[in-house]
Amino acid sequence: MILNVKTGFKKIIIEIICLLYILLFVYAAMNKSLDFEKFQVQLAQSPLLSAFAQWVSWTVLIVEFSLVFFLLFPKTRIKALYTGFCLMVMFTAYIFIMLNYSSFLPCSCGGILEKMSWQQHLLFNIFFVMIGGIALWLNHSLIQERNNKWKLFYSFQLFLGLLVSTVIVIVLFLSSEQIMHRQNPFIRRYPHQPVTLKHTIDLKYNSYYFAGSGDGNVYFGNSTVPLYLLSIDSHLQQKKIRVKIDRDTFSFKSLRIRVQPPYFYILDGRSPAIFKGKTTAWGGKLQNTKLPYFNIAVPIDSNAFAFRGIHKTSSTNILGIFESGKESKIKLAPSLLQKQIDGVFDTDGMLHYSAEMKRIVYIYTYRNEYIVADKDGILDYRGNTIDTVSQAQIKVAYLKNKTEQTIARPALGVNADSSICGHLLFVHSNVPGRFEKKKIWEQASVIDVYDLNRKIYLFSFHIYDIDKRKIRNFIVTPTYVYALIDTKLVMYQLNDKLKNELKNVSKKSL
């Protein structure tokens, strides 16, 4: 009689636990299926499952519905419970890894479960793992009452399920990290608030461009008033600066000002001419050296510049370095830019110099590639942005007996703008990734972040439109991301996630 009571009690406990598992999986599976697109997007943000989001999302949904079905029938109930137990172990291992080894914490749940913190969710999952294990052990004990020789086998089976489930999650995590950082399948990661909007300032004009930053200020040139600068400090104090040159008259053709304290430079590659002065006096002196013609130039130091110009014989874009002073030098690096179509439009891009890394960085506009070279123009490596556009998608038309060329149809601009801060490359991308909603792209611009030392993609963040206008230019400093949107200047403060990445300097850059 006592034995029968014990047996009946064990069966009731098993039935109750199976019912709890049914309720859990019905609720979880229904929430996922009702907004399956959101579920896929959230999995794509997971550092653990990013690379496998598509097939994992379908697998989890199918398995959860299948478990509910098989838990309903006595003949399949225990096998389904064992599978559910292993699935809950995997979910628990997933959350543990996310809490302890992940750089950010997205959510891939729905309904009430989404309201839980990650710590609460971990405890919730541990509870279901425990009761699942209890139910399986009680079922094994019922069998053991009939056949005691199976006791060791069932203990091993329970342990094996726990071990294998945990190992699977660890392998997925390690594999996903490798794929996302080194072989990215065009899935972006959006950590929680790497930047926070702090201020918006109306500059009144849309002719401003970023001239540089330093000493706590950001500087703006103005294309309609070429020799005037505007500086704004961290307290939002504005100051207008009139730049003077040591010439009464000078025929500028394509003037741009670059500020890199303690110096500033007036650059005109079509004249060509460079004026240099100190930011304490704002008086520019013409550098009397033989300069190459250029369309982009960035200072390397007070006397050296990286530039992009047109090759005399091939009429294609070429990168080079020139040094001013008593012995001016021009050194071309013809192998850095690689022609795909015409060598001009297909090699168009943005030129930067990282003082921290002592490296020249060039990023193509129409393809997913950037170039890192040393101060002498010697190639370090070629890297790729995470989009898949490796071939420039442009068509060139030739005019005036092929003496002029232009783009014949709208081209896909892959990388709209970029900025360098330390060893981090920030890229304003024009190409949506997998699992990204069109609505977000209609409301914001995406900035992708790359670590040039480790040669990896890190994560992305949004800069939101103002009055349906998108960013046209941006610059990153160690404390802020500044973006120009029509006449507005928006300031996003860097949060700990980005600040820590900026501090993470490898030995190579020291």
Side-chain angles (χ1 to χ4, degrees), residues 147-160:
N147 192 341
N148 195 51
K149 71 177 182 179
W150 291 98
K151 182 177 181 180
L152 184 62
F153 171 76
Y154 281 119
S155 299
F156 176 74
Q157 187 182 53
L158 203 61
F159 173 76
L160 185 64

Side-chain angles (χ1 to χ4, degrees), residues 24 54 90 104 251 296 302 381 414 417 424 432 434 439 441 475 506:
L24 173 66
Q54 190 165 17
M90 293 174 72
F104 57 96
S251 180
I296 308 176
S302 60
Y381 70 92
V414 176
D417 197 11
L424 299 186
R434 294 172 65 192
K439 185 177 180 180
W441 279 80
I475 190 172
S506 72

Side-chain angles (χ1 to χ4, degrees), residues 300 306 321 351-353 359-362 371-375:
I300 293 177
I321 297 94
L351 182 62
H352 303 281
Y353 180 73
R359 291 294 185 269
I360 298 165
V361 180
Y362 188 86
I371 302 163
V372 179
D374 67 14
K375 294 194 296 182

Side-chain angles (χ1 to χ4, degrees), residues 203 206-213 217-223 228-232 256-260 265 297-298 352 417-419 463 471-477 480-486 488-492:
L203 300 179
N206 63 3
S207 52
Y208 283 109
Y209 63 88
F210 288 107
S213 63
N217 298 308
V218 59
Y219 298 90
F220 303 84
N222 192 321
S223 57
Y228 278 83
L229 285 171
L230 174 68
S231 73
I232 299 179
R256 275 292 186 268
I257 299 178
R258 295 293 299 252
V259 182
Q260 191 169 297
Y265 307 89
V298 295
H352 303 281
D417 197 11
S418 57
S419 181
I463 293 182
I471 67 170
R472 54 186 177 84
N473 199 198
F474 77 102
I475 190 172
V476 182
T477 72
Y480 289 98
V481 176
Y482 296 87
L484 290 169
I485 304 176
D486 195 32
K488 306 292 195 305
L489 169 68
V490 292
M491 299 170 58
Y492 284 82

Side-chain angles (χ1 to χ4, degrees), residues 63-334:
V63 168
E64 288 183 342
F65 275 123
S66 299
L67 285 175
V68 171
F69 178 78
F70 289 115
L71 280 167
L72 293 172
F73 301 100
K75 288 186 177 180
T76 56
R77 183 169 297 157
I78 297 305
K79 290 182 179 178
L81 181 61
Y82 185 77
T83 305
F85 166 79
C86 293
L87 189 62
M88 291 308 299
V89 170
M90 293 174 72
F91 290 161
T92 305
Y94 167 78
I95 294 176
F96 179 81
I97 291 173
M98 292 290 288
L99 281 170
N100 292 277
Y101 302 101
S102 171
S103 56
F104 57 96
L105 299 172
C107 183
S108 54
C109 304
I112 296 172
L113 300 183
E114 193 171 15
K115 306 301 180 183
M116 292 183 182
S117 69
W118 281 83
Q119 289 77 9
Q120 290 171 334
H121 210 149
L122 178 63
L123 294 175
F124 179 85
N125 282 11
I126 289 174
F127 169 75
F128 269 88
V129 169
M130 290 176 62
I131 64 172
I134 289 170
L136 290 169
W137 183 256
L138 290 176
N139 180 70
H140 297 162
S141 69
L142 290 176
I143 298 173
Q144 289 164 20
E145 289 173 2
R146 298 191 297 271
N147 192 341
N148 195 51
K149 71 177 182 179
W150 291 98
K151 182 177 181 180
L152 184 62
F153 171 76
Y154 281 119
S155 299
F156 176 74
Q157 187 182 53
L158 203 61
F159 173 76
L160 185 64
L162 192 150
L163 179 63
V164 171
S165 301
T166 303
V167 169
I168 289 173
V169 176
I170 293 173
V171 170
L172 283 175
F173 172 68
L174 296 176
S175 301
S176 182
E177 286 296 284
Q178 171 68 16
I179 292 171
M180 287 299 297
H181 286 313
R182 305 290 180 182
Q183 312 160 26
N184 193 291
F186 203 10
I187 300 173
R188 288 190 171 92
R189 292 178 168 178
Y190 294 96
H192 180 66
Q193 288 190 328
V195 296
T196 303
L197 179 63
K198 297 299 290 184
H199 304 288
T200 302
I201 304 171
D202 191 350
L203 300 179
K204 307 298 183 184
Y205 305 101
N206 63 3
S207 52
Y208 283 109
Y209 63 88
F210 288 107
S213 63
D215 298 334
N217 298 308
V218 59
Y219 298 90
F220 303 84
N222 192 321
S223 57
T224 59
V225 192
L227 291 178
Y228 278 83
L229 285 171
L230 174 68
S231 73
I232 299 179
D233 64 19
S234 58
H235 301 292
L236 307 184
Q237 296 299 311
Q238 300 184 28
K239 181 181 178 181
K240 293 182 178 180
I241 301 167
R242 185 178 185 276
V243 178
K244 299 177 182 179
I245 59 175
D246 63 345
R247 292 289 186 275
D248 293 332
T249 59
F250 192 91
S251 180
F252 288 109
K253 297 177 181 178
S254 180
L255 183 153
R256 275 292 186 268
I257 299 178
R258 295 293 299 252
V259 182
Q260 191 169 297
Y263 297 101
F264 76 94
Y265 307 89
I266 302 172
L267 308 171
D268 188 340
R270 293 177 61 190
S271 295
I274 293 180
F275 291 78
K276 185 179 81 172
K278 290 196 171 184
T279 54
T280 52
W282 298 105
K285 183 178 180 181
L286 181 64
Q287 303 301 288
N288 294 313
T289 56
K290 186 178 180 180
L291 301 174
Y293 287 89
F294 58 88
N295 40 46
I296 308 176
V298 295
I300 293 177
D301 55 41
S302 60
N303 294 311
F305 300 82
F307 73 94
R308 189 191 72 192
I310 299 294
H311 196 281
K312 290 182 179 179
T313 57
S314 65
S315 297
T316 58
N317 283 328
I318 188 170
L319 294 179
I321 297 94
F322 63 84
E323 297 180 12
S324 60
K326 293 181 180 180
E327 295 183 6
S328 61
K329 297 179 183 178
I330 299 174
K331 182 178 181 180
L332 300 179

